[in-house]
């Protein structure tokens, strides 16, 4: 049985930024790993490792 994980976490394939979905703020926030926020590079055009069809933000 495969685990179906909702896209509540995403990682950038370019700079290594890791976001997690904040249900209360309803936005992505930088995940904390090793005691520091995983923000990646500030000017990275992030390429997330989740499918492009899921977009909770209506931009
Ligand atoms: Zn990035």
């Amino acid at each position: 049985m495969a685990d179906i994980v909702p896209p509540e976490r995403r990682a950038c394939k370019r700079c290594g930024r890791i976001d997690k979905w904040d249900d209360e703020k309803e936005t992505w926030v930088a995940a904390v790993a090793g005691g520091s926020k995983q923000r990646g590079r500030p000017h990275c055009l992030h390429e997330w490792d989740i499918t492009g069809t899921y977009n909770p933000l209506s931009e």
Side-chain angles (χ1 to χ4, degrees):
M1 190 174 95
D3 287 333
I4 299 177
V5 180
E8 62 187 15
R9 181 183 175 282
R10 65 183 183 179
C12 176
K13 292 188 281 189
R14 296 185 180 183
C15 71
R17 177 182 169 123
I18 300 172
D19 281 357
K20 65 181 178 65
W21 182 256
D22 188 312
D23 282 331
E24 293 184 4
K25 297 177 184 174
E26 296 188 333
T27 189
W28 292 102
V29 296
V32 177
S36 61
K37 290 198 172 186
Q38 304 299 298
R39 294 185 187 280
R41 294 198 305 268
H43 300 298
C44 176
L45 297 174
H46 302 302
E47 183 178 342
W48 304 111
D49 65 347
I50 59 177
T51 63
T53 55
Y54 180 83
N55 184 8
L57 303 176
S58 57
E59 292 181 346

